[in-house]
Amino acid sequence: MRILIVDDEPAMHQSYRQVFGGNRTDSSDAALGAMAAELFGDDDDVPAAHVVSGGPGAFDCDHHMQGLDAVAAVQNSIETGERFSVAFIDVRMPPGIDGKETAKRIRALDPDINLVIVTGYSDFSPLDISRAAGPADKIFYIAKPFQAEEVMQTATALGHRWQVDGELRGAITLLEEQKLELAANESRAIHMANHDSLTDAPNRLSFLHELGQAVKGDRCFAMAMMDLDRFKLVNDTLGHLAGDELIRMVCEILHEQVPMGGFVARLGGDEFAMLFDVTGEDEAVMCCEKMLKAVSVSFKVMGHSVQGGASVGVVVIQPGSTGDPIDVMRRADLALNEAKRQGRGCVRVFDDTMDESIQFRRQIETGLSGAIAKGELKLVFQPIVARGGLEITGFEALIRWCSPEYGMVSPALFIPIAEESNLIHELGDWVIDEAVRTLKTWPDQYVSVNFSPRQFRRHNFVGHVVERVTNAGVNPNRFQIEITETAIFDNVERAAETLFKLRQMGFRIALDDFGTGYSSLYNIRRFALDCLKIDRSFVDGMGRERESAAIVHSIIHLGRALGMEVVAEGVETAAQLQALRVAGCSHLQGYYLARPMDAEDALALAQRGTMVDHAGIDDAAGNDDGFDQEPGNGTHG
């Protein structure tokens, strides 16, 4: 431990040498320990091994008569890495610089050194010295004449403190480095997840996010899709490396040619997508033809001449005309297919004649508006089963429409149509009323009702749901609200507030299709949720894909850690049922257990209370993995 001593009196240096060079008895060690406890806290804060470490040879003392010499010594210690832990400085040191100036210069060189001002009389107050050589917690004072034990204990304790401070700084530095490394890794991971590995252009995921923002905006924009013509021929004749090089060259050209502020992404293979603002179809076609011309040139690829060419489909979107980015991509893809059918090497703008389903959708919208009044809609109910004894804890309400004109119309078709119009609110109100009416006939199960993003964003959504459920005389804890990640992550702050209010009123909250959206652990933790529903695509892939099985297990453990139920949807085989039960999934739902059924059959099953022996189902899968049967937080029983 290096000690710096600065004093202009030779006798004082001799006193210091006696202090740091003499022998001590055990009794003096005990006295020093007591002084350390008094100066620096409890005995536990100053380990005995350090309190008594000031014996002969423990300190390497460097003596100087003048302040300038001491400053130079500190500078040298920093350069060599053998820094001083403590400096004892006499305030009055004529000639040369005084102790205050010495302390100030030493502090400027070494912010970590502990300074001990030793003086019998000073022209400066402690406040003056602290201002010049602070911080105050690194400046200490000893009055002349001093006691040997006082100096020894101060040096020992401050030396120990200097060591601990150094270790702490090292730990903080290490943590900062690890933090930067983690941030860099996270940044790289995010970049990799959103960019194409071949071209480093944005990928499909990134493009969908950008397109989603565009459809919510208030500007007219165009979305174009481009396919390279005869690209397979390049791969087949010149090899995939040549094909990759051509893809990179085309991508670079598109980035150069897209209108200012535009967005270019590689969707996969030889397919690209572009977004850019336009004033109308004419401008959109002109921009696309410019990009098409730029890539329809001769490329030099790995020493071979390759004639470029492409086909482009484009759709122009007016503000507020649609809120579905997937539908925009579908229209652009239809326009691209039309360009290919018409001989390739051209640009085609989407129009309704390219999509017969658009006309059908309009007919469906008209028919749906009268379906409620005509009694064409009904609810069916699919049981949600606890894994332990296959007890029925609830039913998911699912809407069905049997149209006299079109037959059975899939909810996947008419729900998005209703979502694009105000019909979704009328439809949603009917579902709530019908669900709670049926619920009142069950013993104690809950009903789970899906709500679309537009319903969730409805003005006074909380009050509306509360009113309809409570007016029906149903306890809110028997009504579960199912929402998707899209609904809540559009506006995280508002969603968190809405879910908190619903939870306060006693409603159950389930996050549907979990794992398919953009949720993060931080946001999941913020929301008042009772249940995570594993998307059926992961359950279906468990037996074939290691990734799907890993995702399912991760969601189950996440739900347990957060005190939530986890419902696996789409259970269609005995093997899936057994695997999910062994993995600890708290609840199950799917065709293997029961298909959606009419209200009368749901009532009979609810009264029975269990799926055991229903349709040949038994309890053979067992519950022998040691997990609790119900990992929920108990809020809703």
Side-chain angles (χ1 to χ4, degrees):
M1 192 83 66
R2 298 196 71 198
I3 302 292
L4 178 66
I5 298 171
V6 192
D7 200 301
D8 64 338
E9 298 181 24
M12 291 302 302
H13 285 280
Q14 183 60 32
S15 298
Y16 282 113
R17 289 187 176 93
Q18 292 178 354
V19 169
F20 292 118
N23 294 318
R24 301 197 319 277
T25 65
D26 291 341
S27 61
S28 66
D29 287 340
L32 294 179
M35 293 176 66
E38 182 179 352
L39 287 172
F40 299 100
D42 297 335
D43 291 341
D44 292 340
D45 297 329
V46 186
H50 292 284
V51 172
V52 298
S53 62
F59 295 104
D60 177 10
C61 298
D62 194 356
H63 295 262
H64 293 280
M65 305 290 290
Q66 297 294 329
L68 290 175
D69 294 338
V71 172
V74 171
Q75 177 67 53
N76 183 66
S77 73
I78 294 173
E79 293 172 355
T80 61
E82 299 178 353
R83 297 168 67 177
F84 294 104
S85 60
V86 186
F88 290 86
I89 304 173
D90 182 24
V91 170
R92 298 169 63 87
M93 290 190 299
I97 60 175
D98 56 32
K100 174 187 172 184
E101 182 64 23
T102 301
K104 177 180 178 181
R105 296 189 186 186
I106 289 175
R107 174 65 70 213
L109 291 171
D110 189 345
D112 302 319
I113 193 171
N114 293 290
L115 303 180
V116 182
I117 306 301
V118 185
T119 183
Y121 172 78
S122 174
D123 296 325
F124 311 107
S125 68
L127 183 59
D128 292 332
I129 298 174
S130 180
R131 286 172 177 170
D137 66 339
K138 289 188 179 294
I139 299 181
F140 303 86
Y141 299 87
I142 292 180
K144 289 181 179 180
F146 53 70
Q147 297 293 320
E149 290 83 355
E150 183 180 14
V151 172
M152 175 59 75
Q153 180 56 59
T154 299
T156 302
L158 291 182
H160 169 63
R161 174 186 174 178
W162 181 82
Q163 286 180 325
V164 172
D165 286 349
E167 293 169 358
L168 180 60
R169 285 192 302 274
I172 291 174
T173 300
L174 179 61
L175 287 174
E176 289 294 334
E177 291 174 353
Q178 292 174 341
K179 178 181 176 182
L180 291 174
E181 183 178 356
L182 286 172
N185 289 338
E186 181 180 9
S187 179
R188 284 194 294 270
I190 292 174
H191 182 86
M192 291 172 63
N194 289 277
H195 288 77
D196 171 51
S197 59
L198 177 61
T199 63
D200 201 39
N203 60 13
R204 181 181 292 270
L205 178 65
S206 182
F207 184 80
L208 276 172
H209 177 73
E210 195 74 17
L211 181 58
Q213 298 301 312
V215 298
K216 297 175 188 175
D218 56 0
R219 294 182 296 184
C220 178
F221 70 91
M223 183 209 154
M225 291 182 70
M226 174 183 286
D227 246 6
L228 301 186
D229 295 338
R230 295 172 295 278
F231 177 72
K232 185 176 183 298
L233 184 62
V234 177
N235 277 338
D236 291 344
T237 58
L238 302 180
H240 287 277
L241 289 179
D244 290 347
E245 181 62 23
L246 180 60
I247 289 290
R248 282 191 287 264
M249 296 169 74
V250 169
C251 187
E252 185 176 344
I253 290 174
L254 291 177
H255 275 101
E256 294 171 354
Q257 297 296 325
V258 72
M260 184 174 295
F263 189 85
V264 177
R266 183 189 178 211
L267 301 183
D270 61 330
E271 190 173 63
F272 296 89
M274 290 76 72
L275 278 179
F276 47 94
D277 291 339
V278 293
T279 56
E281 285 189 4
D282 291 343
E283 183 181 357
V285 171
M286 182 180 67
C287 294
C288 289
E289 288 180 342
K290 179 183 176 183
M291 288 185 282
L292 181 60
K293 182 179 179 180
V295 300
S296 300
V297 295
S298 181
F299 293 90
K300 201 70 172 178
V301 180
M302 301 180 68
H304 300 276
S305 181
V306 176
Q307 181 60 43
S311 303
V312 179
V314 60
V315 58
V316 176
I317 304 299
Q318 298 292 338
S321 62
T322 181
D324 186 358
I326 300 298
D327 187 57
V328 175
M329 287 192 72
R330 186 181 61 83
R331 298 183 194 185
D333 193 40
L334 287 171
L336 174 60
N337 290 335
E338 185 66 21
K340 292 178 180 179
R341 279 196 298 268
Q342 295 190 6
R344 303 179 182 272
C346 61
V347 176
R348 288 294 176 265
V349 181
F350 173 83
D351 62 61
D352 290 353
T353 62
M354 296 179 184
D355 187 6
E356 295 178 358
S357 68
I358 288 182
Q359 299 176 21
F360 180 66
R361 284 165 63 90
R362 289 174 180 168
Q363 293 171 352
I364 290 294
E365 183 176 348
T366 303
L368 183 60
S369 61
I372 298 175
K374 297 176 182 178
E376 297 173 4
L377 299 176
K378 72 171 184 177
L379 289 184
V380 293
F381 303 89
Q382 187 173 37
I384 299 171
V385 179
R387 107 187 200 285
L390 298 183
E391 301 90 353
I392 301 168
T393 61
F395 290 84
E396 181 177 357
L398 303 166
I399 192 168
R400 296 291 184 263
W401 178 20
C402 184
S403 167
E405 185 176 359
Y406 306 110
M408 290 299 298
V409 184
S410 169
L413 175 61
F414 70 80
I415 292 297
I417 294 175
E419 177 83 358
E420 293 179 1
S421 67
N422 287 326
L423 286 174
I424 191 65
H425 300 307
E426 183 182 355
L427 190 63
D429 291 344
W430 179 86
V431 170
I432 295 174
D433 295 341
E434 188 70 11
V436 296
R437 184 186 66 80
T438 306
L439 169 68
K440 293 169 69 174
T441 67
W442 300 338
D444 57 3
Q445 290 86 358
Y446 66 84
V447 67
S448 190
V449 176
N450 290 276
F451 287 83
S452 72
R454 186 162 182 178
Q455 287 177 276
F456 189 68
R457 292 191 293 268
R458 184 180 188 178
H459 175 68
N460 195 25
F461 173 73
V462 175
H464 187 78
V465 174
V466 170
E467 180 182 8
R468 300 195 85 90
V469 173
T470 55
N471 284 350
V474 170
N475 193 324
N477 66 15
R478 297 185 65 196
F479 192 94
Q480 178 166 278
I481 295 171
E482 282 196 32
I483 51 175
T484 63
E485 297 180 52
T486 303
I488 60 179
F489 293 116
D490 279 349
N491 188 332
V492 173
E493 295 298 331
R494 181 184 179 280
E497 181 182 357
T498 299
L499 295 181
F500 177 75
K501 290 178 180 177
L502 287 168
R503 193 84 176 287
Q504 279 190 315
M505 298 300 297
F507 288 91
R508 296 171 56 94
I509 309 295
L511 187 58
D512 198 12
D513 300 336
F514 183 71
T516 61
Y518 297 95
S519 58
S520 68
L521 291 181
Y522 173 73
N523 282 328
I524 289 296
R525 188 182 61 184
R526 293 180 60 190
F527 296 126
L529 300 173
D530 295 275
C531 173
L532 300 177
K533 300 195 77 173
I534 305 175
D535 186 72
R536 65 182 64 248
S537 63
F538 299 127
V539 174
D540 181 59
M542 283 181 66
R544 303 187 308 272
E545 303 165 355
R546 181 181 303 175
E547 294 81 0
S548 293
I551 290 172
V552 170
H553 282 262
S554 297
I555 295 174
I556 291 171
H557 286 288
L558 172 64
R560 291 179 56 83
L562 297 178
M564 300 178 190
E565 295 177 358
V566 178
V567 178
E569 295 185 296
V571 180
E572 297 187 353
T573 67
Q576 289 174 350
L577 174 65
Q578 182 172 356
L580 288 164
R581 295 177 78 185
V582 171
C585 187
S586 66
H587 291 77
L588 308 151
Q589 180 182 348
Y591 279 10
Y592 180 75
L593 296 163
R595 290 177 175 270
M597 60 191 69
D598 291 336
E600 295 78 8
D601 295 329
L603 172 59
L605 198 56
Q607 291 173 337
R608 183 177 179 178
T610 179
M611 295 301 302
V612 175
D613 295 331
H614 175 77
I617 296 174
D618 58 33
D619 198 23
N623 184 27
D624 56 0
D625 60 335
F627 287 114
D628 295 331
Q629 178 178 326
E630 296 290 347
N633 55 26
T635 304
H636 302 287

